Amino acid sequence: EVFNAMNGSLLWKNKLTGLSYASPAIQDSYIVTKTIDGHITLLNKFNGSQLWQYDHKEPSFVENGDSSPVIAQ
């Protein structure tokens, strides 16, 4: 879920493929998320639309957290 920083209203939400313990990476108009089922997803920061998704094919086995994705150019 993404909220308006000024008034707290919901801007958009997107259902991920699984739980995410990692912080999302945010840059320009993109948000990258990583879920414990092994999916890395790129979302549009302004409307939440999915731009692409990569299936790592190996779930995370970390119980108390997960590594956060990084955006490289």
Side-chain angles (χ1 to χ4, degrees), residues 14 29-31 41-45 47-53:
N14 188 308
S29 60
Y30 305 111
I31 298 175
T41 306
L42 180 71
L43 302 172
N44 178 298
K45 178 172 79 173
N47 62 24
S49 64
Q50 180 178 308
L51 302 174
W52 56 256
Q53 186 174 77

Side-chain angles (χ1 to χ4, degrees), residues 16-53:
L16 300 175
T17 60
L19 294 174
S20 178
Y21 295 121
S23 298
I26 303 171
Q27 184 173 336
D28 301 325
S29 60
Y30 305 111
I31 298 175
V32 179
T33 64
K34 179 183 173 194
T35 54
I36 63 171
D37 63 357
H39 288 92
I40 299 171
T41 306
L42 180 71
L43 302 172
N44 178 298
K45 178 172 79 173
F46 301 106
N47 62 24
S49 64
Q50 180 178 308
L51 302 174
W52 56 256
Q53 186 174 77

